[in-house]
Amino acid sequence: MILATDVQYTENSAKAAGIVFPEWDSEKPVQEIVTDINSIEPYEPGEFYKRELPCILALLPKVIHQLDVIVVDGYVNLGADAKPGLGMHLYNALNGKIPVIGVAKRSFIGTPDECNIFRGDSLNPLYITSAGITLNKAKAYILAMHGHYRNPTLLKKVDQLCRGIEN
């Protein structure tokens, strides 16, 4: 099973969402989870994981399926020097037992071109990074996800879920 996660913030709280699905090309989830977090860390430039990681960790106990991979909205590694990002901190918090794939919509300075994938007819790439799984395999998985647009169907759905948007 695959878990896609996303987090939406208000001033002092957050809403973490997760969608569990069985196959990379799945159109519909088998589980949707939303967790409200009442106290969050302040935003620190370059230390985003300190704010988002506790939110994702609060979501994980509600997952009723055994996970094979987690997809996060963001980076596993940052830039050409591969500084640990949110996904790497999650991977380490899980003792390297579950591979993590980062899918970012915006470029981080120094992100290698090998991280770029293009979905649908989009001229704008998604930026893929990974831990516990090869980059080539991670890119192939995200390319295989359901949907004809840049952002895969279920990644769009988890984004909407954490924002409280109903389909």
Side-chain angles (χ1 to χ4, degrees):
M1 290 288 185
I2 304 150
L3 170 69
T5 66
D6 204 349
V7 180
Q8 177 68 30
Y9 300 95
T10 58
E11 195 168 312
N12 295 315
S13 64
K15 186 180 295 268
I19 290 182
V20 179
F21 50 100
E23 304 291 335
W24 289 103
D25 62 351
S26 296
E27 182 178 1
K28 297 188 183 303
V30 295
Q31 184 185 7
E32 294 182 13
I33 312 132
V34 176
T35 299
D36 291 313
I37 295 95
N38 295 322
S39 178
I40 57 172
E41 294 293 319
Y43 173 73
E44 288 182 51
E47 304 290 325
F48 177 67
Y49 76 92
K50 290 181 181 178
R51 188 173 205 195
E52 189 139 337
L53 181 61
C55 299
I56 295 172
L57 292 175
L59 183 77
L60 291 179
K62 296 183 178 190
V63 175
I64 60 173
H65 302 276
Q66 184 170 340
L67 297 175
D68 299 306
V69 179
I70 298 174
V71 179
V72 297
D73 178 27
Y75 284 89
V76 173
N77 300 303
L78 300 167
D81 60 354
K83 177 183 175 190
L86 169 65
M88 184 58 75
H89 289 285
L90 176 60
Y91 181 73
N92 290 335
L94 300 174
N95 298 314
K97 292 183 179 172
I98 303 174
V100 177
I101 298 173
V103 179
K105 294 179 229 44
R106 293 190 194 114
S107 176
F108 185 85
I109 297 170
T111 299
D113 287 343
E114 69 182 358
C115 295
N116 300 359
I117 63 167
F118 293 87
R119 287 181 40 92
D121 294 330
S122 179
L123 300 177
N124 296 315
L126 291 172
Y127 305 93
I128 310 301
T129 50
S130 62
I133 187 171
T134 68
L135 179 58
N136 284 338
K137 192 174 238 185
K139 288 166 53 174
Y141 286 153
I142 302 305
L143 284 168
M145 290 185 79
H146 182 272
H148 301 290
Y149 302 103
R150 177 178 182 237
N151 207 15
T153 302
L154 293 180
L155 296 188
K156 181 178 180 182
K157 184 167 183 61
V158 76
D159 175 73
Q160 292 172 334
L161 191 62
C162 75
R163 295 173 190 271
I165 299 170
E166 299 290 326
N167 285 4

